Amino acid sequence: MQKPAKTVWLFGIYLLIEGLFLMLAPSSLLSSIGIPDPESVWRIVIGFVVAVLGYYYIRNAKENLVPFFGFTVQVRIIQFVFFIWLYVFERGTLALVVFSFIEFVAGMWTWNSLKRSRA
């Protein structure tokens, strides 16, 4: 597996774990980012969606679908900006911004790996 694929594969594992936590132990994950547990089925649905995204990342990395890698970088940057926007307008917590910063850094790692693999 080439380095760009490896970065996406690892991020897929991260998403899969995050999704499983949201499905199986939502209170622990949500409280760590300052969001109250809504005690509804939607937290499980979102956990499932995140886990599915993780699966997509893993499968695309295994297939070495390079265009997908670039798309993930774009979305991870947009997500970080969106969570900052939520925080600025008092709809999200600073912990949520910090949490999304991890995804932003992972996106920059993928972008850097893509840039180096093209050189």
Side-chain angles (χ1 to χ4, degrees):
M1 190 181 309
Q2 295 178 354
K3 186 147 185 173
K6 201 172 288 186
T7 68
V8 171
W9 183 83
L10 286 170
F11 191 71
I13 296 295
Y14 166 79
L15 285 175
L16 194 59
I17 292 168
E18 184 179 8
L20 290 173
F21 263 102
L22 281 169
M23 286 189 289
L24 304 173
S27 296
S28 62
L29 182 62
L30 294 174
S31 66
S32 73
I33 56 175
I35 298 174
D37 185 358
E39 294 291 332
S40 77
V41 72
W42 292 108
R43 68 180 188 214
I44 298 168
V45 171
I46 295 299
F48 179 75
V49 170
V50 171
V52 167
L53 284 172
Y55 172 77
Y56 285 150
Y57 274 63
I58 292 165
R59 291 300 307 152
N60 279 284
K62 289 282 188 184
E63 298 296 326
N64 199 38
L65 297 175
V66 176
F68 176 80
F69 305 161
F71 302 150
T72 72
V73 171
Q74 295 167 3
V75 170
R76 289 185 266 178
I77 292 169
I78 292 167
Q79 176 197 343
F80 182 57
V81 171
F82 178 71
F83 285 152
I84 290 171
W85 180 84
L86 285 176
Y87 177 71
V88 167
F89 290 98
E90 299 178 356
R91 303 289 297 178
T93 64
L94 183 58
L96 187 62
V97 173
V98 171
F99 204 78
S100 71
F101 183 70
I102 295 167
E103 299 192 18
F104 174 77
V105 169
M108 293 299 94
W109 181 34
T110 300
W111 177 73
N112 191 39
S113 295
L114 283 167
K115 203 167 78 168
R116 288 183 180 192
S117 73
R118 290 181 186 140

